[in-house]
Amino acid sequence: DAGITQSPRHKVTETGTPVTLRCHQTENHRYMYWYRQDPGHGLRLIHYSYGVKDTDKGEVSDGYSVSRSKTEDFLLTLESATSSQTSVYFCAISERHNDDSYNEQFFGPGTRLTVL
Amino acid sequence: GESVGLHLPTLSVQEGDNSIINCAYSNSASDYFIWYKQESGKGPQFIIDIRSNMDKRQGQRVTVLLNKTVKHLSLQIAATQPGDSAVYFCAENRHNNNDMRFGAGTRLTVKP
C-alpha cells in the first residue's frame, strides 16, 4: 500500500460522538486525500491537503474536518458522527511535482467506520 | 453534471480468456485516466494510467485504450487468472485539478 497506513482499521461508535481517523505516510508525498466509499457511489473525495496546514474541501465535505500538522499525517475528524457517515474511509497520497502535473494517487488499506 | 461510469456492473470470464472492462466519461476536459483494482477488504491498487495525448498504453498483461471521440476508456486483461478477480474502477482527472472522479466499479469474476 505504498507506505500508507490508516488507524484504526475498524471502529464502531455511537451517533453524536466525535471520531478521528488517522492516515500516516512514509513517502514524504505532498498531497494527501480522504475519500469515502459507499455501495453504488464509488469513491468520493471528502477533503484533501496540498501541504502542511494547507487543506481544501472535496465533493462531500459537510460534517467532516481535517488537519495536517506534519507532512506524514493527515487526520479526518467527524465532530459529531451520524449514521449517514457509516462508510469505508480511504486515505490516498500523490506526489505532483508542480500544480500543473498529473495526479497519480496511491491508496491506504481503509478504515471501516460504523455509526450506530 | 459530469460523471464517470461503467457499462457493466459485473463480468464473469473463464480462466485463460481475455477480459475487457469498459468505462464511459463525460467530462471532455479530463486529460488523465487511471484504472484501479480493488480486492475485498483492501484499498484500491493502481494498475495503469493513460494521458489524453495517447490512445493506447500497455503494461504487464494489461492494456488501456482511450477513445476521446466517444469518451470511452477500456481495460483489457490478457489470459485472465483467478487472482484477477476483484472490482475494477476507472477514474478521471484534469492534470491541474485535485478532484479525481471515480466510477462505481465493475466486479470481475474469473471461473476456473
Side-chain angles (χ1 to χ4, degrees):
Chain A
D1 292 320
I4 310 169
T5 57
Q6 294 184 230
S7 59
R9 293 295 313 279
H10 302 272
K11 187 171 182 65
V12 180
T13 192
E14 294 186 347
T15 298
T17 60
V19 177
T20 295
L21 308 183
R22 179 181 184 238
C23 177
H24 179 78
Q25 59 143 332
T26 58
E27 307 295 323
N28 200 36
H29 281 7
R30 177 183 172 193
Y31 290 84
M32 298 185 76
Y33 308 81
W34 276 109
Y35 290 90
R36 60 179 289 173
Q37 185 176 42
D38 305 289
H41 285 98
L43 288 155
R44 291 181 291 173
L45 182 65
I46 303 171
H47 282 279
Y48 68 94
S49 169
Y50 47 98
V52 174
K53 296 185 180 177
D54 292 323
T55 65
D56 206 349
K57 296 179 180 180
E59 180 186 1
V60 290
S61 60
D62 287 349
Y64 301 95
S65 62
V66 289
S67 65
R68 189 152 177 220
S69 59
K70 300 184 288 185
T71 298
E72 58 266 36
D73 290 327
F74 191 32
L75 304 180
L76 177 71
T77 297
L78 291 65
E79 300 290 347
S80 178
T82 67
S83 58
S84 65
Q85 294 176 309
T86 292
S87 187
V88 181
Y89 291 86
F90 287 99
C91 175
I93 64 174
S94 69
E95 185 54 76
R96 295 169 59 190
H97 300 291
N98 55 63
D99 289 337
D100 200 39
S101 61
Y102 292 86
N103 187 7
E104 182 179 327
Q105 295 186 18
F106 298 94
F107 286 81
T111 294
R112 182 173 294 277
L113 176 67
T114 302
V115 183
L116 301 177
Chain B
E2 305 288 0
S3 65
V4 176
L6 293 165
H7 293 312
L8 296 172
T10 61
L11 177 65
S12 182
V13 300
Q14 204 71 36
E15 181 178 358
D17 287 351
N18 296 334
S19 302
I20 300 176
I21 301 171
N22 296 303
C23 179
Y25 68 95
S26 57
N27 186 351
S28 57
S30 293
D31 60 4
Y32 182 55
F33 305 88
I34 301 179
W35 280 102
Y36 287 94
K37 172 186 180 182
Q38 186 175 26
E39 296 174 283
S40 182
K42 297 184 178 180
Q45 176 186 359
F46 176 94
I47 301 174
I48 191 168
D49 61 359
I50 189 168
R51 301 180 184 181
S52 60
N53 60 352
M54 304 172 69
D55 52 21
K56 180 178 180 179
R57 190 163 188 228
Q58 289 184 289
Q60 187 177 16
R61 281 201 308 118
V62 294
T63 300
V64 56
L65 300 177
L66 176 62
N67 185 332
K68 295 181 287 294
T69 302
V70 295
K71 298 187 183 68
H72 183 267
L73 191 69
S74 69
L75 176 70
Q76 300 178 1
I77 305 173
T80 314
Q81 303 168 0
D84 294 326
S85 293
V87 175
Y88 290 81
F89 299 91
C90 65
E92 65 168 331
N93 187 226
R94 293 196 309 277
H95 68 280
N96 59 355
N97 185 285
N98 284 292
D99 196 357
M100 183 85 72
R101 294 298 176 108
F102 294 81
T106 291
R107 181 174 299 280
L108 174 66
T109 301
V110 182
K111 296 177 289 186

